[in-house]
Amino acid sequence: MVFSPAAPVMPFGIEYRDDRIGAEERARLMADPGFGRVLTEHMVTIRWTAERGWHGGRVGPYGGLSLDPATIGLHYGQIVFEGLKAYAQPNGEVGVFRPDAAAERLRQSARRLAMPELPERLFVQAIEELVRADREWVPEEVGKSLYLRPVVLATEADLGLHPAREYLFLLIAFVTDRFFSGPVRPLSVWLCEDYSRAAPGGTGMAKCPGNYAASLLAQQQAHERGCDQVIWLDAARREWVEEMGGMNIFFVMDRPGKPELVTPELGDTILPGITRDSLLVMARDRGYTTTERPFSVAEWRAACADGTMLEAFACGTAAVVAPIGTVQSEAGDWTVGNGGPGPLTLGLREALVDIHHGIAPDSHGWIHSIR
Ligand code: PLP
Ligand code: COI
């Protein structure tokens, strides 16, 4: 199928709600938002058809979709999504963290699922329109943010198994203050050997819902074992560490001079995290050696036993940086470092949060400002 080339930026139809939630009720909802529950009042939609390419951009009230029961996305999972955050800036503007990188990853995910690619300019325009429509929902406090959730869904009603000829781009948003409950604390993780998240040649590097559906049982197993999160190992040998839940993973190794940060190298079984990439850059800025290479379970355990591993943490848009304290597996349990959140982990977390909120200078041009 031939997909349309990059579409020009299009004028959006704009229909704001005239029955907006009052300031008092909004403040009540935003006080303790958690993750994914406090949705804002508008959404963006853009259509794609084989004939017209991307068209019909619109900002309208948040609300239900009417879908034909034979919609391809519902049956065959031809859907991709993204996750990125907007933060109130000290100058009154709203800063969105690396929307260009999220746009690029959405295109990569779309390619893997034989879907049309949304041009970056249109992706960013959609975000700008939604942030302007829902400006009051961008929290002012450090530690809170507006999580943006772009989705592309195959909407053609035709149950033949083929790439759809119609798609819907959707952008919704919610207020969040945390992904894990409570303050930042070291997580306990379960090394999952019964299920795989991704396999060579599969969709592990794409952000598509099937990957997350396939992860839920393992996450349930981790909870049953009393662990917070699941660690994904390579599907073939269960030897190599790949990710933690919906996050990438880093190990901090004791080296002469300064610690070294090691993270599994990207391949088709690991989601190329934007937080991962940002932390690699920030760690190098701070003079740490960073290494992207395969990292085995055996090395993890041995390095904790002999004290070479100082810290481990996971990272992603939702949780930012989350320390890992203890590991459980069929073969036994162990503690990372002293089991507490390590200073390098907490330092990188704070430095990234400061960039998000415009407290530290944006020296890499990661913040896209919206007035
Ligand atoms: N790995 C998986 C499977 C994810 O779902 C995510 C979250 O998006 C990440 C890693 C981290 O990616 P990012 O830092 O871009 O949010
Ligand atoms: C993230 O945004 O960091 C995620 O992992 C998304 C997840 C909640 C599905």
Side-chain angles (χ1 to χ4, degrees):
M1 182 188 293
V2 179
F3 294 124
S4 68
V9 170
M10 65 181 69
F12 278 26
I14 295 181
E15 184 200 337
Y16 289 161
R17 276 178 67 152
D18 47 21
D19 58 341
R20 296 218 188 175
I21 292 174
E24 210 171 301
E25 172 64 357
R26 194 172 56 243
R28 191 187 65 73
L29 291 166
M30 290 172 72
D32 181 26
F35 189 84
R37 291 185 281 108
V38 180
L39 289 141
T40 65
E41 295 176 273
H42 294 89
M43 64 187 198
V44 172
T45 50
I46 313 175
R47 302 257 166 203
W48 187 93
T49 57
E51 299 74 37
R52 298 182 62 189
W54 295 103
H55 66 278
R58 176 175 182 270
V59 186
Y62 181 95
L65 301 174
S66 169
L67 293 175
D68 189 295
T71 295
I72 287 185
L74 292 181
H75 292 262
Y76 303 135
Q78 207 193 6
I79 306 174
V80 292
F81 70 100
E82 265 306 318
L84 66 168
K85 283 177 171 172
Y87 303 87
Q89 302 293 298
N91 63 1
E93 296 181 357
V94 175
V96 180
F97 191 68
R98 303 190 68 178
D100 50 342
E104 170 59 23
R105 191 171 61 190
L106 187 68
R107 288 201 301 276
Q108 281 171 16
S109 299
R111 271 200 294 280
R112 178 62 185 82
L113 273 76
M115 297 167 72
E117 296 172 35
L118 185 78
E120 178 185 313
R121 284 183 305 158
L122 211 45
F123 181 90
V124 172
Q125 187 187 347
I127 289 171
E128 290 173 347
E129 297 285 4
L130 187 67
V131 165
R132 289 196 185 105
D134 284 330
R135 176 65 185 86
E136 291 105 331
W137 292 92
V138 181
E140 297 296 329
E141 302 99 304
V142 171
K144 288 186 178 176
S145 57
L146 187 71
Y147 185 103
L148 302 159
R149 171 51 63 81
V151 184
V152 186
L153 166 74
T155 46
E156 188 184 6
D158 172 350
L159 295 185
L161 185 55
H162 55 75
R165 284 157 295 211
E166 286 175 21
Y167 295 85
L168 173 66
F169 168 86
L170 274 175
L171 175 65
I172 59 172
F174 58 83
V175 181
T176 182
D177 61 346
R178 60 184 182 270
F179 186 63
F180 298 116
S181 57
V184 178
R185 63 185 167 86
L187 300 173
S188 55
V189 296
W190 168 246
L191 294 193
C192 177
E193 298 194 41
D194 292 335
Y195 308 106
S196 304
R197 190 192 84 89
T203 58
M205 85 310 274
K207 209 161 162 64
C208 58
N211 292 345
Y212 298 83
S215 77
L216 297 175
L217 202 53
Q219 183 58 40
Q220 230 170 37
Q221 191 183 60
H223 283 154
E224 281 158 17
R225 301 276 178 158
C227 291
D228 296 299
Q229 283 285 308
V230 57
I231 294 288
W232 298 111
L233 305 176
D234 74 287
R237 298 166 62 175
R238 309 279 191 234
E239 188 179 342
W240 306 102
V241 180
E242 296 196 326
E243 302 204 51
M244 184 198 82
M247 307 175 73
N248 296 114
I249 191 163
F250 276 86
F251 303 101
V252 181
M253 311 299 283
D254 194 12
R255 301 287 185 241
K258 276 196 163 189
E260 176 195 12
L261 274 87
V262 181
T263 188
E265 67 186 339
L266 297 178
D268 58 1
T269 58
I270 295 181
L271 192 85
I274 295 161
T275 317
R276 173 189 181 280
D277 181 72
S278 310
L279 292 173
L280 283 170
V281 172
M282 290 168 63
R284 287 194 286 267
D285 287 350
R286 283 161 177 71
Y288 299 115
T289 304
T290 61
T291 309
E292 298 172 71
R293 64 166 169 90
F295 195 91
S296 70
V297 173
E299 182 177 358
W300 192 353
R301 190 169 189 171
C304 287
D306 69 16
T308 331
M309 185 179 295
L310 303 173
E311 306 174 27
F313 62 86
C315 64
T317 297
V320 188
V321 170
I324 298 173
T326 49
V327 185
Q328 290 185 35
S329 74
E330 293 291 2
D333 306 343
W334 65 89
T335 302
V336 181
N338 64 8
L344 193 147
T345 301
L346 292 179
L348 276 179
R349 181 185 163 93
E350 195 181 320
L352 184 54
V353 168
D354 284 353
I355 295 174
H356 288 156
H357 289 278
I359 297 165
D362 175 26
S363 50
H364 296 286
W366 286 337
I367 300 290
H368 177 82
S369 282
I370 303 173
R371 283 196 186 86

